[in-house]
Amino acid sequence: MSNTQKAAAPARETIALDPRRVAQDFPILKQKIHNGKRLVYLDSGATSQKPFTVIDAMNEYYHVSNANVHRGLHVLAERATEIYECARTRMHFFINAYLPGEIVWTKNATEAMNLVAHGYARKFLKAGDEVIVSRMEHHANLVPWHLLAKDKGVVVKGIELNADGTLRLEELDAFLKGGKVKIVALTHVSNVLGTINPIAEIAKKVHDAGAIFVVDGCQAVPHLPVNVQTLGADFYAFSAHKMLGPTGLGVLWGRMSLLEKMDPFLGGGEMIEEVTISSSTYKEPPGRFEAGTPPIAETAGMTAAVEYLMKTGMANIRAHEKELVSYTLERLKSVKHLKVFGPANPEIRAGVFAFEFEDIHAHDVAQILDGEGVAVRAGHHCAQPLHEWLGSPSTARASAYLYTAKEDIDALVKALETVRKKFA
Ligand SMILES: Cc1ncc(COP(=O)(O)O)c(C=O)c1O
């Protein structure tokens, strides 16, 4: 294996999660579907479910504090502003950013990646400069660079994968040696293979070559302890809705020294310092990047989500999911003719399981599983270049979270056997 991820530091004490107990906090998971079947939700990679506390925090915001932020002098405007800015401070602690002002609220991770491409890369890259991505990226970390390539003549190149679904880091070394790389943009965790990439190791290589490192943390922040200072990247993007929070809210973390140099992405109210008929000046970050009325109730939900995750403990969540990876990979071996993609080593794999039956379409698989009460996703999961490599236009994907129990995996395996029988 050429992926040289170092052995993890000695594990901190973790406390075993009881996922069935955790699931009690999620009202949606209590329901029965399809004539009384227990809902087995294995689509958390697409979006996570929300605990009572998150739903309540958003309700409470609308009941008690609803107003617009930053511009009012009345009591509700002050409350709304406090909720909005406190959420920023809470998020800065959660990922260990250097400053609260390095947390930029966006609509989602996709917008965060576009903000980097638009606000940073468009300003500082020129024709012939290279942006390095990889074969395992989500389209959110491909298309923004393609748009830039069209406009500016920037060249986008991709790192290929080893057979086990890890990055061929020697290819990154070769690209960096060429001297034209200005940005490396990689996912922390693959949303299809579950591969956990060695971000700190890559950050060092990228910086030694004088380039900027952008990380798509969408599938990492919900599942692993993420500390942006020790990871050492320059930008880190993720979405609230995959980490127990609401839809409509994302985060771009960026080093303040870089945010300060960037152009705004969207223009309008809230992000300005002064406006005349013919020109305008902009606020310092993060305000410069938050044009218009922001998602305020969503930040109330986000704070509750972060509190839930911190109370549970990110190391405990990771330990639970690591155990689930071993269990799931072992159990899936018992399903005849099922091919499971991604690394076999649970140390470098998150709880995402893409699979296929050679002779059954992924959509048929997902539909039959749904009939059995098991919710998975089927398609290319916004990762077409990866599916080209897998040799399959679509796969079915089961993805776990802190409320996923071994019984849920057993239900998946049983339902997959039903699929086999139906197509026998
Ligand atoms: C790895 C990865 N990156 C980016 C995204 C995009 O997230 P969003 O649609 O919330 O912007 C996803 C969503 O599935 C993802 O899994």
Side-chain angles (χ1 to χ4, degrees), residues 20 93 103 110 112 122-123 170 201 208 223 313 351 360 373 415 424:
R20 301 303 286 268
F93 281 123
I103 304 294
T110 302
R122 196 171 292 269
K123 184 168 181 185
E170 63 276 21
E201 180 189 340
D208 286 350
H223 303 281
I360 312 173

Side-chain angles (χ1 to χ4, degrees), residues 253-310:
W253 168 78
R255 290 179 189 276
M256 186 51 83
S257 55
L258 297 175
L259 292 174
E260 278 169 350
K261 291 200 272 187
M262 280 165 59
D263 283 340
F265 178 30
L266 300 170
E270 291 280 328
M271 49 75 74
I272 52 88
E273 202 78 71
E274 231 176 87
V275 179
T276 67
I277 284 290
S278 53
S279 68
S280 33
T281 55
Y282 321 119
K283 277 186 183 160
E284 293 298 309
R288 181 186 304 175
F289 307 112
E290 296 177 358
T293 299
I296 309 165
E298 286 72 10
T299 58
M302 184 78 262
T303 295
V306 164
E307 277 169 7
Y308 191 98
L309 291 171
M310 286 175 85

